[in-house]
Structure formats: C-alpha cells, structure tokens
Amino acid sequence: MSPKVPPISAVDFLPSRRTLPALREAARNCRGCDLWKRGTQTVFGEGRAGAEVMLVGEQPGDQEDLQGRPFVGPAGRILDKALEAAAIERDDVYVTNAVKHFKWEPRGKRRIHKKPSGMQIAACRPWFDEEVKAVAPKVIVCLGATAAQALLGRDFRVTRDRGKVLTQGAIPIIATVHPSSILRAPDDESRHAEMAHFIADLKVVAAQIAQQKRAA
Ligand code: URA
Ligand code: SF4
C-alpha cells in the first residue's frame, strides 16, 4: 500500500539534482501547500553538507520569515547559547524546520505564530527528507513537539522521552524542547532550570557524536 500523501506536496517541486544549493533554489518556488501565500519567502535549512548534527524546528518565525534564514530571531539566540554551552560547534550544525514557510495570523500590528497542520507538515516533508540525504548527519535533533511528532510519530511525548537516543531509522534521533519554550518560562528561576535541561539534552547530542567517532 502506498503511504498517505497529501493531494499536493513539495514532491512536485523537487529538482532533478538533489544537492543542497539546487534544493534550496527549487524550494524558493514551492507551492506544495497553501502556506507559500502567507509567508514572505521560503526559509530553507542552513549549514553544510556533512554537518554532524541536524537540528529540526517547527517552522520559521517572524524574523526568520523576513530574513529568509532559520533560527535568526529570539529562539535562535537561545539555541546558539545552548549549543555553545554544550560545546557543539556551530559549523557542525545544519539547522532547518519541519515546515519551510511561516504560518501566522494578524493580531493588531503583530504577526502571531500559528501551528502548522498535519497536512502542511506532510506536504513539506519531501524537502526535509532531501536535506537529510544531502547532509547525511550523524544525529538528528528534534526541537519541540512538532518536529518530534513528525519524525517519531504522533504519540511521541517530548516531556517523557527528551534527551534519549532513539534509533528508528539509520540515523539516531534525539528530541528536546523548542528553544522558544524557554523564552516563555514564567520567571527567571524556571528559565534557568529549563535552559540547564536544554543544555543537558544537547550534551547528550555531543556525547553521541563523540561515541560515533570513537567507534569509527
Ligand atoms: N522557531 C522555529 O521552529 N524555527 C525557526 O527557524 C525559528 C523559530
Ligand atoms: Fe512548499 Fe513547505 Fe512552503 Fe508548503 S510550507 S509551500 S510545502 S515549502
């Protein structure tokens, strides 16, 4: 039986050459779901082929939509700090999102983030699958429930299984919270605690890479 695919998807927009630059260029004109109408531009992943770690968020935010680059807004700053604290080199990281267009709703003058639907996540999936093939990371890290559930199934719970090395396919997957959840912490004390937990999860990622290098 063929897998469930949305009526339209990014599949129709994939280029014949599947290098990162070719994929990125083709993704600019993707109309694989209705989100291209709402976002300013496609926000493709960033990093080099061969990067050891692939980080997957949900979708670009307001700043990412305007700048055309993933994780350059407030959540990205938290992420950069945590990567540094976990001693993961920025150059060893490819960052991307489950969905490549910003989904938002107007509220006054602001654009408020809206969660992508399961259909939109599925429609965008071909870009992610091609990124994985082109980058060939040693470990994939899901940032938050949207990415985790897209890769690990709807029943996956980040709160229960964060920071564990999960081997489903060929590449180990580790899930943790989304950095924006740390920004939403109600007070300094819980923010610090959540940041420490996030860093601890990223240290599991660093240890996983080190272990693979020793085994190689
Ligand atoms: N949140 C995400 O999930 N991805 C980004 O690129 C920025 C914010
Ligand atoms: Fe294409 Fe993904 Fe944008 Fe939808 S969200 S138009 S599938 S790039």
Side-chain angles (χ1 to χ4, degrees), residues 57-61 64 70-71 97 178:
E58 182 187 75
Q59 62 171 340
E64 289 78 14
F71 284 106
N97 286 297
H178 194 286

Side-chain angles (χ1 to χ4, degrees), residues 107-137:
R107 190 160 317 152
K109 285 187 181 156
R110 294 181 55 210
R111 304 190 299 171
I112 303 296
H113 159 276
K114 264 202 96 189
K115 248 178 125 50
S117 70
M119 193 70 101
Q120 289 158 342
I121 293 166
C124 209
R125 180 62 179 260
W127 295 121
F128 174 74
D129 288 342
E130 293 303 324
E131 286 178 299
V132 173
K133 282 187 226 161
V135 175

Side-chain angles (χ1 to χ4, degrees), residues 43 56-61 64 69-73 75-76 96-97 143 178-180:
V43 179
V56 195
E58 182 187 75
Q59 62 171 340
E64 289 78 14
R69 301 179 57 200
F71 284 106
V72 290
T96 192
N97 286 297
L143 301 172
H178 194 286
S180 67

Side-chain angles (χ1 to χ4, degrees), residues 88-108:
I88 297 173
E89 292 280 341
R90 208 55 189 70
D91 182 53
D92 281 337
V93 175
Y94 184 94
V95 269
T96 192
N97 286 297
V99 168
K100 266 76 171 161
H101 270 99
F102 179 34
K103 180 174 179 180
W104 59 277
E105 249 176 19
R107 190 160 317 152

